[in-house]
Amino acid sequence: MDILTQQLINGLVLGSIYALVALGYTMVYGILELINFAHGEVTMFGAMICLAVIGAFAGSGADMHGAIIVLFGLLAAIAVCVGLGFVIERVAYRPLRRAPRLAALITAIGVSIVLQNLAMLIWGKQYISFPPLLPLVRYEFGGAVITNLQIFIMILSCLLMAGLLLLIKRTRLGRAMRATAQAQDIAGLMGINVNTIISLTFIIGAALAAIAGVMVSAYYGLAHYYMGFMLGLKAFTAAVLGGIGNIAGAMLGGLLLGVIESLGAGYIGTLTGGFLGSHYQDVFAFFVLILVLVIRPSGLLGERVVERA
Amino acid sequence: MDGPRMTKWAVWAFTIALSLSACGQKEEAATGTTTGEVTVRIGQVSPLTGPQAHLGKDNDNGARLALDEINATGVTLGGKKVKFVLVSEDDQADPRIATIVADKLIDRRVAGVIGHLNSGTSIPASKRYHEAGIPQISPSATAIAYTAQGFNTTYRVMTNDLQQGRVLGEYAVKKLGTQRIAIIDDRTAYGQGLADEVEKAAKAAGGTIVAREFTTDRSTDFLAILTSIKARKPDLVFYGGMDAQGAPMVKQLHSLGIKAKFLGGDGVQTFEFLKLAAVDAEGVTASSPGLPLDSMPGGKEFREKFTAKYGVIQNYAPYAYDAAMTLVEAMKKADSAEPAKYLAELPRIQRAGVTGPIGFDERGDIRGGAITLYQVKNGKWEVLETVMGGAGQK
């Protein structure tokens, strides 16, 4: 039983990170019907910027509490990623907004490759370690262990997601975003500046991605230039699982995917009698993606949309 | 975007690409003919991108250092002055890319190959080199299968996993005093092969294998498998794989509160591991084929030369250096860089390398290799002991 609890904890922490990244995919899809494949790379940039700032602080020999240095790193990561999100939309997607959707999709993949290589040029090809700035505290209950970092990741993710839901459901900006998602042209006629709303969507997604990137690198203790690829793919799966375009769906999908992966990797060996090993962990994410696409293409919380392409 | 503009761009891009490739060809032609000296290309293959890029670059630098030194002293083969050029290729530690890269090197008519770094890539590539008759010396492929294919072109300058696994398995039970052993490997030819040998040796020494789990050489999340291992209450976790996975694994092991010791092979025994695992590296034990660098006959001198040029040594650079030196030595003996001619000299080679005496047995394995065990103490790899062994045959 304690093992099951532990696997659930592992899964929920991983899942809340997936959920944060998945929100970026789903928000952009909701408004533009574009799968922003560069989103995973924005997450990677968040981690890298944070580590660069932390490294600079460590190099300057400033005597500060570890948490404050990480906070600075996080803020810098958010700032840079927000800029990055804005520029990506402006340079890569806006000129193609009226182009066939396939063109935008290919551009997204292109942007992702460009960002990955850019990061490789700036920070090199090797793994960068997250310095042990945050003292790790373990809490044990019923045989399972949870660390302060895991608790922090889950709480912060929940707060961010709740904040985002409030923003979208309760504020003028949120209403403008929903209107733009429903019908861009009509929203424009109603006096909504569609371009600003789209830019803001990218910016909010990028900020969440930056935070997720910092969380991942702090959680696993390392970052590297292609970490965004797999993370992005998993988050995309989570978004599809929950119903792409649906905010609550992305959250649910992320958490579910994390738990499925964790339980899957933990029990597959025993369940299949050693036929399939735990190295099939990543396969679960994509197996789930295929299942969802076959059985319920609109996702768990998605609504059926008439195919427009 | 409108049509004509696109076309213009495409034409521009095409023109630039074409002129660039023309430049490349001109340069290549020039190296062959100018100053009357002959250019001999030596291939080097290792992962130069991806999670093992630091190790790949290390091998690349080791081989480069050797060829630079050889070029500086000057070598004459068949009456002509020879300039050695290193052609480095990136196989991304991926067996599929390894064969593509091997074909590329064969097409470029390399005289010999130093590589590949991984066992998983060296094995499929060795078939291509064998068919082309090109000698290959791997600095760091340790899987038994690599030299067990019966190829006369396949050599290595590092002790194989049979011996390393045997030493590790015995050491775990007899010296570390652990009984309940959990084994994880990354399902590569290297990780799996080493883990299998450790399992056999540990069982033979009286230990119990309580769990056998698997991961991949690209993973960073091991919490799920470590949690299921935790339930079996191991007192030792062995990982057959590389540092980029070993480091986060040992961190996660500690964060789950598992009290087991952590043991690894040469993929873990690197400088990078210390950097990535930081405080969690403390107390980790790992083995590496060969002698510790400072006990190698030319180790100190090598370290000085290498660090002055390229910085810190990760792990296999001295072996890549020796592999390059050995290839050239065989060429000198045959007085030719023709693979067909100097290949016959390789089995007879007997030279003092920086890593130790270099000589091959009938399989192409190095004779009389040693295995050294290290433990992390105060953030450094400290030598525990060196176990001398035979040629590591089955």
Side-chain angles (χ1 to χ4, degrees):
Chain A
M1 192 59 209
D2 51 336
I3 295 302
L4 182 66
T5 321
Q6 186 70 60
Q7 296 288 24
L8 283 175
I9 293 172
N10 299 343
L12 284 174
V13 176
L14 187 64
S16 52
I17 295 173
Y18 285 162
L20 276 191
V21 185
L23 283 172
Y25 280 99
T26 226
M27 278 164 61
V28 168
Y29 188 85
I31 287 188
L32 289 181
E33 293 192 6
L34 161 75
I35 295 162
N36 177 16
F37 273 115
H39 192 61
E41 263 56 56
V42 175
T43 314
M44 175 268 294
F45 259 83
M48 291 304 219
I49 296 285
C50 178
L51 281 172
V53 170
I54 289 174
F57 269 107
S60 72
D63 183 34
M64 269 191 284
H65 192 271
I68 295 176
I69 300 180
V70 176
L71 184 68
F72 274 119
L74 181 66
L75 292 177
I78 294 174
V80 172
C81 286
V82 159
L84 197 63
F86 178 75
V87 171
I88 290 173
E89 194 272 327
R90 222 29 223 273
V91 174
Y93 302 142
R94 191 171 294 183
L96 293 175
R97 204 175 290 161
R98 303 276 168 199
R101 262 193 275 169
L102 195 59
L105 187 74
I106 293 167
T107 309
I109 296 171
V111 171
S112 152
I113 296 171
V114 167
L115 287 179
Q116 218 179 82
N117 284 282
L118 189 66
M120 189 177 86
L121 287 175
I122 301 175
W123 292 289
K125 297 162 191 162
Q126 73 279 47
Y127 277 70
I128 300 171
S129 62
F130 198 97
L133 289 171
L134 308 164
L136 203 66
V137 186
R138 281 196 299 270
Y139 305 97
E140 275 196 49
F141 63 96
V145 177
I146 189 163
T147 64
N148 52 349
L149 189 62
Q150 287 178 316
I151 297 173
F152 181 75
I153 289 176
M154 280 202 274
I155 291 179
L156 184 59
S157 306
C158 289
L159 286 178
L160 286 170
M161 290 190 265
L164 186 72
L165 272 182
L166 277 181
L167 177 86
I168 286 172
K169 300 276 183 208
R170 294 286 159 85
T171 62
R172 277 180 71 90
L173 172 65
R175 205 187 307 153
M177 286 170 82
R178 280 181 287 145
T180 311
Q182 278 181 4
Q184 264 183 43
D185 297 335
I186 310 294
L189 291 176
M190 293 297 159
I192 294 169
N193 188 340
V194 173
N195 280 337
T196 314
I197 294 299
I198 292 175
S199 284
L200 273 172
T201 306
F202 271 86
I203 283 174
I204 295 171
L208 292 176
I211 297 171
V214 174
M215 282 178 178
V216 171
S217 59
Y219 188 38
Y220 295 124
L222 44 80
H224 49 100
Y225 74 96
Y226 73 89
M227 65 184 273
F229 177 72
M230 207 27 132
L231 186 64
L233 222 49
K234 296 274 182 68
F236 169 67
T237 309
V240 174
L241 176 62
I244 193 151
N246 185 310
I247 303 283
M251 300 175 188
L252 179 70
L255 290 175
L256 263 181
L257 190 69
V259 172
I260 291 172
E261 247 190 68
S262 218
L263 292 180
Y267 291 106
I268 186 171
T270 19
L271 284 180
T272 59
F275 177 64
L276 290 176
S278 41
H279 52 302
Y280 286 93
Q281 183 171 8
D282 286 347
V283 175
F284 280 100
F286 306 115
F287 184 64
V288 167
L289 179 64
I290 293 169
L291 270 189
V292 169
L293 289 177
V294 170
I295 297 168
R296 204 182 146 82
S298 50
L300 295 176
L301 298 183
E303 293 129 36
R304 285 194 74 82
V305 189
V306 183
E307 193 56 50
R308 275 187 282 179
Chain B
M1 189 169 285
D2 50 345
R5 218 163 92 200
M6 275 294 274
T7 326
K8 214 167 84 185
W9 272 108
V11 170
W12 265 110
F14 188 69
T15 318
I16 291 169
L18 208 68
S19 54
L20 279 178
S21 65
C23 287
Q25 271 163 13
K26 229 181 286 163
E27 192 185 46
E28 197 170 303
T31 47
T33 49
T34 46
T35 50
E37 54 180 25
V38 188
T39 301
V40 172
R41 295 193 191 91
I42 305 273
Q44 190 286 132
V45 191
S46 53
L48 297 171
T49 55
Q52 295 171 32
H54 59 289
L55 297 173
K57 195 68 203 150
D58 200 44
N59 277 18
D60 179 54
N61 287 338
R64 207 168 285 275
L65 184 67
L67 293 190
D68 282 353
E69 281 176 17
I70 291 164
N71 283 334
T73 41
V75 174
T76 317
L77 295 179
K80 279 188 184 148
K81 200 166 179 308
V82 173
K83 182 170 178 267
F84 289 98
V85 176
L86 192 71
V87 185
S88 239
E89 290 288 345
D90 176 16
D91 66 12
Q92 299 172 29
D94 185 331
R96 285 162 300 182
I97 297 169
T99 53
I100 299 171
V101 165
D103 288 339
K104 209 168 147 189
L105 287 178
I106 294 164
D107 284 345
R108 290 206 63 189
R109 300 219 171 83
V110 294
V113 175
I114 301 154
H116 300 195
L117 185 145
N118 309 79
S119 298
T121 52
S122 298
I123 295 166
S126 64
K127 192 164 184 289
R128 304 296 171 100
Y129 300 128
H130 177 66
E131 282 160 6
I134 294 173
Q136 169 193 15
I137 304 183
S138 173
S140 46
T142 50
I144 301 155
Y146 171 61
T147 50
Q149 306 171 96
F151 296 159
N152 63 341
T153 47
T154 307
Y155 293 87
R156 68 173 134 216
V157 287
M158 187 173 269
T159 335
N160 70 27
D161 287 338
L162 180 64
Q163 203 191 355
Q164 193 181 180
R166 211 184 268 156
V167 169
L168 277 167
E170 272 184 27
Y171 197 84
V173 178
K174 290 186 179 155
K175 298 279 176 66
L176 293 176
T178 52
Q179 286 300 320
R180 302 178 59 82
I181 298 168
I183 295 178
I184 307 173
D185 76 66
D186 66 1
R187 295 278 97 184
T188 62
Y190 161 71
Q192 191 176 342
L194 184 63
D196 286 347
E197 291 307 324
V198 170
E199 182 172 348
K200 273 187 229 157
K203 272 185 192 160
T208 318
I209 308 300
V210 295
R212 183 80 200 256
E213 293 284 346
F214 314 103
T215 182
T216 72
D217 58 346
R218 318 247 146 171
S219 304
T220 43
D221 186 334
F222 311 104
L223 286 164
I225 56 176
L226 289 173
T227 300
S228 64
I229 281 178
K230 190 184 178 184
R232 318 277 173 81
K233 300 188 172 49
D235 47 18
L236 179 104
V237 175
F238 173 80
Y239 177 58
M242 309 303 284
D243 50 8
Q245 281 67 45
M249 190 181 288
V250 71
K251 279 189 166 188
Q252 290 164 29
L253 188 81
H254 292 163
S255 83
L256 283 173
I258 301 174
K259 299 261 167 1
K261 288 177 177 141
F262 191 82
L263 182 69
D266 54 310
V268 167
Q269 201 270 313
T270 64
F271 176 75
E272 194 72 10
F273 178 81
L274 298 178
K275 222 174 78 189
L276 291 176
V279 284
D280 289 292
E282 211 58 28
V284 168
T285 312
S287 67
S288 199
L291 298 163
L293 188 61
D294 288 321
S295 316
M296 286 177 190
K300 282 207 177 91
E301 195 196 344
F302 180 82
R303 186 197 291 278
E304 275 165 27
K305 282 189 296 193
F306 189 91
T307 43
K309 242 177 157 167
Y310 307 112
V312 62
I313 298 172
Q314 288 292 351
N315 198 343
Y316 308 128
Y319 295 92
Y321 178 90
D322 266 351
M325 284 294 189
T326 306
L327 272 181
V328 175
E329 183 74 20
M331 289 177 190
K332 279 194 210 161
K333 283 239 162 71
D335 198 27
S336 168
E338 282 293 312
K341 288 183 187 151
Y342 84 85
L343 180 60
E345 293 295 335
L346 274 172
R348 289 203 287 270
I349 218 104
Q350 202 51 253
R351 57 178 291 271
V354 292
T355 59
I358 308 259
F360 301 108
D361 66 12
E362 63 281 3
R363 291 179 164 212
D365 278 332
I366 190 153
R367 282 181 200 278
I371 303 282
T372 306
L373 285 142
Y374 300 80
Q375 193 165 47
V376 183
K377 280 176 193 154
N378 302 319
K380 272 195 188 133
W381 287 109
E382 300 274 344
V383 177
L384 287 176
E385 63 176 295
T386 299
V387 183
M388 293 305 291
Q393 293 294 318
K394 265 210 167 139

